[in-house]
Amino acid sequence: MDLHLETIIISIVSFLVLYWALSRYAFDKLFSIMEQRRVLVLKQLEDAKKTQEQATQYVEDQKAALNEARKEAYEIVERSKQTSSKQAEQILEEASNAVVRLKSEAVRDIESEKNKAVEALRSEIGTVSVKIASKLLEKEVNMDNTQEQLVDQYLKEVGGKS
């Protein structure tokens, strides 16, 4: 392999001309495009990082919201249990009060009916007593007649003996 000085010089000059032409017309635009691309890539990386942070924050917010919803659901269930037990107690108390009230009304009704029966019995006994008394008096009056007859008969006998 032979190295020729001419070829080397032509190659160097060609390279320098090419470099000058590229730097004059292409490198500025190329570096500008590359800079824009670098800025775009950095911006996309930054946006991706922000999006990832937002997604992480969103996931954390959703976890917190889910935990809060679970807590509220648990509280609602607990309140419902308490409310239902209070309602059950109230219903039982009302039923107990109703039973006591009905019992006292029944006792009053029984007492009233008893008093009515006693009054009716007293009235009936009074009527029967009056009837018995009138019959006794009638019998006694009849007996007095008999006694009067006996007295008269005795007087006749006594009067007839004298």
Side-chain angles (χ1 to χ4, degrees):
M1 243 205 238
D2 289 326
L3 283 178
H4 297 305
L5 188 57
E6 277 177 25
T7 309
I8 292 177
I9 293 178
I10 290 176
S11 293
I12 291 175
V13 169
S14 299
F15 180 74
L16 288 175
V17 169
L18 181 61
Y19 182 76
W20 175 81
L22 285 174
S23 68
R24 174 109 177 142
Y25 299 107
F27 281 156
D28 288 339
K29 290 180 183 177
L30 184 63
F31 288 144
S32 153
I33 290 172
M34 289 178 74
E35 181 62 24
Q36 288 175 354
R37 178 70 180 149
R38 185 182 73 78
V39 168
L40 180 65
V41 168
L42 287 175
K43 185 177 183 227
Q44 287 177 343
L45 285 173
E46 190 176 308
D47 288 346
K49 187 176 180 181
K50 285 181 183 177
T51 303
Q52 183 180 11
E53 289 173 358
Q54 288 175 348
T56 303
Q57 183 62 39
Y58 181 75
V59 167
E60 291 299 320
D61 291 345
Q62 290 303 313
K63 284 181 182 178
L66 181 61
N67 286 337
E68 184 66 27
R70 284 181 181 156
K71 184 179 177 182
E72 288 177 12
Y74 178 76
E75 288 174 359
I76 289 171
V77 167
E78 287 301 314
R79 278 185 277 169
S80 296
K81 285 179 183 178
Q82 291 174 355
T83 302
S84 64
S85 67
K86 285 180 183 177
Q87 286 177 344
E89 288 173 6
Q90 286 176 343
I91 289 170
L92 288 174
E93 185 177 331
E94 289 173 3
S96 176
N97 291 340
V99 166
V100 168
R101 183 177 41 83
L102 288 173
K103 184 179 176 183
S104 68
E105 286 177 5
V107 167
R108 267 188 276 127
D109 289 345
I110 290 171
E111 190 66 31
S112 172
E113 289 299 318
K114 178 182 146 189
N115 290 339
K116 285 180 186 176
V118 167
E119 285 300 317
L121 187 59
R122 283 183 183 160
S123 173
E124 188 68 28
I125 287 174
T127 304
V128 170
S129 296
V130 168
K131 284 182 182 177
I132 290 173
S134 69
K135 284 188 179 186
L136 284 175
L137 284 175
E138 207 177 286
K139 189 176 181 182
E140 202 170 302
V141 167
N142 285 340
M143 285 180 115
D144 284 342
N145 238 354
T146 307
Q147 286 177 359
E148 196 176 305
Q149 286 174 1
L150 284 175
V151 169
D152 283 340
Q153 185 182 358
Y154 180 70
L155 285 175
K156 282 181 187 178
E157 286 178 9
V158 174
K161 286 186 181 178
S162 359

